[in-house]
Amino acid sequence: MKHEIKISEYDIYKFVFSPESLESGKRTYLESNRVRFMKEIEFCQELKNASPSLETEELVKIIIDKISSNKTVELLPSIITTEVNDSKLRLAAESLKLSTKTYSSSFADPTSDHVVKIINTDSQTLLYLFSSDPISKARITFSPSETSYTIKDTSKPIEILDESNIEKVTVEKL
């Protein structure tokens, strides 16, 4: 079973301002995953360098507000669009039924913490949102069309209009 370490805004604050006060496991995790937390660490570092006169409580509040407000994730195509063809011709009784084509696209962030899967059949297009962090509601926006959808329950797929050229997907946590 994979052991997962939860990192909070306060852990990042401690990592930058007083690394010796942070649990060794979390400190080691942050050191080996600097890229994943790069924006948050850089923000804390800039704040530390720019405001040595602020009280610790003020710094913690500013940092937590800034880090918590970062609720948008950008997803890029992770797998080339696939097309599944059923090459078998099936005849049943007196009908000839041609099989349908199914298309799918996947979009993910660099760490694959958030993944959007779009499956398109001849009758519908479904969007699935998978996330390692629990997300109850989200707004999905496609670029360059700027078409947006709101997902009220991320545990279920939503039906969307067929989107032909998606360069990136933006997920905003609501």
Side-chain angles (χ1 to χ4, degrees):
M1 186 166 128
K2 184 179 171 184
H3 179 66
E4 188 174 316
I5 296 178
K6 296 285 184 184
I7 302 293
S8 69
E9 292 85 4
Y10 191 62
D11 294 331
I12 294 171
Y13 166 80
K14 282 182 167 182
F15 180 73
V16 172
F17 284 86
S18 58
E20 66 283 347
S21 68
L22 187 62
E23 295 174 29
S24 64
K26 287 185 177 186
R27 185 173 57 241
T28 304
Y29 183 79
L30 283 167
E31 287 169 352
S32 61
N33 291 286
R34 277 186 179 269
V35 173
R36 182 177 180 189
F37 299 98
M38 183 171 50
K39 288 181 184 177
E40 294 88 350
I41 292 172
E42 285 177 355
F43 176 76
C44 288
Q45 193 63 50
E46 288 174 15
L47 192 56
K48 179 180 178 183
N49 296 338
S51 56
S53 63
L54 286 178
E55 292 292 322
T56 304
E57 292 298 319
E58 292 176 67
L59 284 175
V60 171
K61 184 177 180 340
I62 291 169
I63 292 168
I64 290 174
D65 289 346
K66 175 66 178 173
I67 293 173
S68 297
S69 68
N70 189 9
K71 298 180 187 179
T72 304
V73 180
E74 191 173 277
L75 311 179
L76 298 174
S78 59
I79 299 174
I80 298 171
T81 303
T82 60
E83 181 177 320
V84 179
N85 288 317
D86 187 358
S87 61
K88 299 175 185 172
L89 181 63
R90 295 186 180 132
L91 300 174
E94 295 178 3
S95 66
L96 171 66
K97 182 177 179 185
L98 297 176
S99 56
T100 61
K101 292 181 181 180
T102 300
Y103 301 93
S104 69
S105 302
S106 295
F107 299 85
D109 62 356
T111 58
S112 294
D113 286 336
H114 302 84
V115 176
V116 165
K117 182 81 169 175
I118 300 171
I119 299 175
N120 182 335
T121 64
D122 65 337
S123 62
Q124 64 183 355
T125 303
L126 296 176
L127 180 141
Y128 295 84
L129 173 63
F130 304 100
S131 177
S132 62
D133 299 326
I135 299 176
S136 57
K137 287 179 158 182
R139 178 176 297 120
I140 307 290
T141 305
F142 299 128
S143 292
S145 72
E146 297 302 318
T147 306
S148 290
Y149 297 93
T150 300
I151 301 175
K152 294 181 181 173
D153 181 3
T154 58
S155 67
K156 301 174 187 173
I158 62 166
E159 189 167 358
I160 62 171
L161 297 174
D162 187 21
E163 194 80 23
S164 60
N165 184 23
I166 304 172
E167 293 176 7
K168 71 177 179 180
V169 176
T170 306
V171 177
E172 181 182 354
K173 301 172 192 173
L174 301 176

